[in-house]
Amino acid sequence: MHNSTVQAICVTNYEKFIISGDKKGNIAYCDSKINRHNNIKAHLDVAVRDLSFSAASLKFMSCSDDRTARIFDFLTAKQEFEYCLLYTSPSPRDAHE
């Protein structure tokens, strides 16, 4: 399933499926018996840091070191939305150091 270290794992609300994200930006789907279902390249060769399912388990979100959060349809594995953090202003604490 993964060729690099798994960084995040999430189970559907009905405990039927598992998704996992690795250090290279890949997300793998499998059922709870660990049979392979799907593998997608979700992020640009950087670690997937967190995964979360919607309440009905129809969509999932991934967050990555490429500074994006992406929403996917679980059944089709198609990306539906992407949020990208382009700039972070320094915190007031950083400005005084």
Side-chain angles (χ1 to χ4, degrees):
M1 277 205 291
H2 290 285
N3 292 326
S4 68
T5 308
V6 172
Q7 300 287 336
I9 296 175
C10 188
V11 178
T12 60
N13 296 321
Y14 307 108
E15 299 180 0
K16 288 187 174 188
F17 293 95
I18 300 167
I19 55 174
S20 55
D22 68 22
K23 213 171 182 178
K24 299 271 186 178
N26 300 304
I27 293 176
Y29 290 55
C30 60
D31 65 17
S32 58
K33 295 178 182 168
I34 315 298
N35 293 317
R36 186 174 171 190
H37 281 269
N38 203 353
N39 208 355
I40 60 173
K41 181 69 175 170
H43 295 275
L44 305 172
D45 291 324
V46 294
V48 174
R49 293 296 178 182
D50 199 10
L51 295 163
S52 181
F53 276 101
S54 65
S57 298
L58 298 175
K59 301 191 184 306
F60 68 90
M61 178 181 235
S62 65
C63 300
S64 172
D65 282 350
D66 64 5
R67 302 180 84 173
T68 64
R70 299 176 187 203
I71 296 174
F72 296 86
D73 180 277
F74 181 71
L75 296 176
T76 65
K78 299 231 187 255
Q79 181 178 314
E80 295 185 344
F81 181 80
E82 177 180 318
Y83 173 79
C84 182
L85 180 63
L86 297 175
Y87 176 76
T88 304
S89 61
S91 69
R93 186 177 136 223
D94 294 338
H96 297 290
E97 291 180 2

